[in-house]
Amino acid sequence: MATDTAPDDSTFAVAPASLSAAAALGGVVKNAPAWAVSLLVHVIVLLSLALIVSQPPQQEKARVIVSGAPETLDAFEDFDASLPDDLPVIDQTTDEVVMTDVVPVDNVQVVSTAEDVDAAPIAVELSDFGTETAAPADMLATVGAIGGTAGGLGGRASAAMRNQLVATGGGSSQSEAAVEAGLKWFIQHQLPDGGWSFNLKECPNCKGQCSEGRDKGVGEDRCGATALALLPFLGRGYTHKEGPYKRQLEAGLTFLAGMTVKGNGKAYDKGGNMYSQGLAGIVLSEGYAMSQDKRLQAPAQLALNYIMQAQDPVGGGWRYAPKQPGDTSAVGWQLMALKSGNMAFLQVNPLTVKKASAFLDSVQSDDGAAYGYIDAKTPGPARNAVGLLCRMYLGWKKNHPAMERGVVNLAKGGPSNDLYHDYYATQVLHHMEGESWVSWNNTMRDMLVSTQAKKGHEAGSWFEGVNGGHGADAAGRLYCTSLSTMILEVYYRHLPIYGQQSVEEEFKE
Ligand SMILES: [Zn+2]
């Protein structure tokens, strides 16, 4: 989706990991609903990311990850075997899910053994970071407090939690309805192979009825399109195990996992780039953590391995192709993918995160209140928002002077019609809470509710009124709908970083 000629950083926004780290918690969260897992994950990731940057893991035990198929790859083959041959197709005339014959999914079967230069096996020295930071007893106690008791996590319906957070965070019944309508639009634009395309003419149900599908060529960047389509479902707590779209999400996750395994970790192909890779890393990590479906573990780890290998060894950043000197926007995506993986207790090299932090140092100005694109010279609102959100997740405190200055500047500018900027700035301000958030949210929320398409096949999607940024040019209506939906999920998609205590009190039984 982002092209090699993209002039600036406004192509994508990262979805900071929404969910989950369920795996290592075993029985405690086994029966927990998605919201509980999401809560849990956010608590854990904040603590564990702080550990990444603030102190090296103690008693490092060398672990070697060799890029390539992990031992658990067999599990993914099981995943393939269970791929439904009756993938859902929406009949637009009845608006009902009907089962039709579908084309065989031919890209999820084979694990590449080719010597792809991008995926050349390398050994990555890893500490036992994942296990050593995973849910020690005191974290479990915190999680328990959120749900009343650790064992009581499964006792709440996810809708109840969402509704509470919508009410306390500034959402509305209109914004919630807009989210559901957005998800429905995505369902109606899923392709028979389970994935999505930016080119809406490729969708048998749409055939281009919706304007602003990106017609860049058949099959261009299926990875980026599919990941952007799946993210808003995960943000709402829906997976192939939970929620109203299980079959569709099983097909979508299978498609993305299949691309990743086929590429030996490289999730994108024609038309895609490292932006798409970062998105795929987030989706697979979140999907794995939320669903605890072991079939997703190997694809998710492979995607993260590829990201770690692709880091610029000098500057610590990422750009369109592996090992290029980085830009702030691409770095944001990869960092959020690594964070998602960390939350899912996948293996993430802490040195990779440290280098990424060093990249942010290299592009910051005003002591870290502002961020440039490939250096410190060209700060701008969108780049500032990306940089500040990364800093938040890397442990900067709410009262960090540069954080405070940066947030004031973001709030002063207000929402724009550049969704990339708005997506990041909304998250930054949501985490900070307070008056600035209330004011921002009122404008942002109502702007999105009013600009959502209401008629015809476009109903539930976004483009007009929110297409001011470069990303809309590059990736069209699907991109705009993804970011808009996720902005309206902000109340529950990520808990406020600095507001854990209030949340705990809110939901204490
Ligand atoms: Zn359409």
Side-chain angles (χ1 to χ4, degrees):
M1 65 181 29
T3 68
D4 288 342
T5 56
D8 57 28
D9 61 345
S10 56
T11 302
F12 290 125
V14 169
S18 44
L19 323 142
S20 36
L25 296 175
V28 174
V29 297
K30 187 172 183 181
N31 297 315
W35 64 262
V37 179
S38 179
L39 274 177
L40 166 58
V41 162
H42 284 87
V43 171
I44 291 170
V45 70
L46 297 175
L47 295 172
S48 56
L49 271 179
L51 286 175
I52 291 179
V53 294
S54 62
Q55 61 184 57
Q58 296 175 345
Q59 296 180 330
E60 283 202 5
K61 286 178 257 179
R63 179 187 297 173
V64 175
I65 292 181
V66 177
S67 105
E71 294 174 4
T72 49
L73 198 55
D74 285 348
F76 180 70
E77 289 170 356
D78 293 341
F79 203 19
D80 287 348
S82 67
L83 184 67
D85 58 5
D86 54 354
L87 297 178
V89 172
I90 305 297
D91 181 336
Q92 67 186 67
T93 60
T94 65
D95 206 27
E96 292 176 353
V97 176
V98 296
M99 313 312 287
T100 66
D101 293 337
V102 296
V103 297
V105 177
D106 61 2
N107 62 342
V108 299
Q109 308 299 340
V110 180
V111 177
S112 171
T113 55
E115 287 291 331
D116 180 343
V117 65
D118 284 340
I122 62 167
V124 181
E125 289 285 329
L126 290 185
S127 73
D128 258 351
F129 174 79
T131 52
E132 289 181 6
T133 59
D138 55 336
M139 285 191 196
L140 286 174
T142 301
V143 172
I146 292 172
T149 65
L153 282 172
R156 294 174 181 269
S158 60
M161 174 63 102
R162 277 202 309 271
N163 290 340
Q164 185 65 39
L165 288 168
V166 165
T168 57
S172 66
S173 56
Q174 290 87 350
S175 70
E176 283 289 277
V179 168
E180 284 294 353
L183 297 182
K184 189 174 175 185
W185 183 85
F186 278 111
I187 291 296
Q188 291 174 329
H189 290 80
Q190 188 172 22
L191 270 57
D193 62 14
W196 278 261
S197 171
F198 291 118
N199 184 352
L200 300 175
K201 292 175 183 169
E202 292 183 10
C203 173
N205 295 322
C206 182
K207 293 189 175 73
Q209 291 178 74
C210 294
S211 69
E212 303 302 336
R214 296 294 92 177
D215 189 2
K216 297 193 297 183
V218 174
E220 290 258 338
D221 197 10
R222 298 295 308 282
C223 169
T226 300
L228 277 172
L230 289 171
L231 279 171
F233 291 95
L234 299 175
R236 195 164 174 77
Y238 297 162
T239 70
H240 59 304
K241 303 287 189 186
E242 183 93 30
Y245 301 116
K246 296 187 186 74
R247 283 178 305 142
Q248 293 93 334
L249 298 180
E250 168 98 11
L253 287 166
T254 298
F255 180 87
L256 194 62
M259 286 192 75
T260 306
V261 172
K262 183 183 179 187
N264 201 19
K266 180 183 175 184
Y268 59 90
D269 56 12
K270 187 175 63 172
N273 54 43
M274 285 301 296
Y275 285 82
S276 323
Q277 180 76 26
L279 287 163
I282 298 166
V283 168
L284 293 171
S285 297
E286 290 188 0
Y288 168 54
M290 289 177 72
S291 68
Q292 305 177 57
D293 187 340
K294 290 286 187 184
R295 296 174 300 171
L296 287 169
Q297 183 178 12
Q301 185 66 61
L302 282 172
L304 298 182
N305 287 357
Y306 190 83
I307 289 171
M308 289 187 278
Q309 292 173 34
Q311 187 175 35
D312 168 24
V314 179
W318 289 268
R319 208 164 185 190
Y320 303 113
K323 301 189 190 297
Q324 280 184 320
D327 71 58
T328 301
S329 183
V331 166
W333 285 114
Q334 316 311 323
L335 206 48
M336 295 306 172
L338 295 174
K339 181 179 71 67
S340 303
N342 182 236
M343 290 192 298
F345 298 109
L346 296 164
Q347 297 175 71
V348 174
N349 188 343
L351 287 178
T352 306
V353 179
K354 281 185 179 174
K355 284 189 201 169
S357 189
F359 172 84
L360 291 174
D361 293 343
S362 74
V363 297
Q364 75 172 30
S365 56
D366 191 12
D367 292 331
Y371 294 84
Y373 186 48
I374 57 174
D375 54 35
K377 294 174 186 170
T378 54
R383 296 157 192 181
N384 296 344
V386 178
L388 290 171
L389 187 64
C390 288
R391 294 298 199 187
M392 283 180 166
Y393 279 107
L394 289 170
W396 278 24
K397 302 299 183 200
K398 189 174 186 174
N399 60 357
H400 190 296
M403 179 66 73
E404 289 182 331
R405 279 200 306 281
V407 169
V408 166
N409 288 335
L410 274 186
K412 205 183 298 174
S416 68
N417 68 345
D418 175 355
L419 282 175
Y420 178 86
H421 163 265
D422 291 347
Y423 175 77
Y424 272 108
T426 295
Q427 293 179 72
V428 168
L429 287 159
H430 179 243
H431 288 314
M432 290 298 278
E433 304 179 286
E435 283 304 309
S436 293
W437 162 245
V438 172
S439 172
W440 175 284
N441 176 59
N442 286 340
T443 304
M444 185 83 249
R445 178 197 62 216
D446 293 348
M447 188 270 276
L448 288 178
V449 168
S450 67
T451 53
Q452 187 176 36
K454 307 291 195 300
K455 294 178 183 172
H457 215 255
E458 294 176 349
S461 67
W462 277 269
F463 188 79
E464 287 80 14
V466 295
N467 60 333
H470 168 72
D473 294 335
R477 184 173 295 273
L478 185 147
Y479 162 89
C480 290
T481 303
S482 176
L483 292 198
S484 297
T485 306
M486 287 192 284
I487 289 172
L488 291 177
E489 290 174 345
V490 67
Y491 316 107
Y492 43 83
R493 187 163 170 256
H494 301 105
L495 288 175
I497 288 176
Y498 308 116
Q500 299 296 341
Q501 189 59 46
S502 61
V503 172
E504 288 174 27
E505 293 301 319
E506 194 69 48
F507 293 99
K508 208 164 189 172
E509 285 183 339

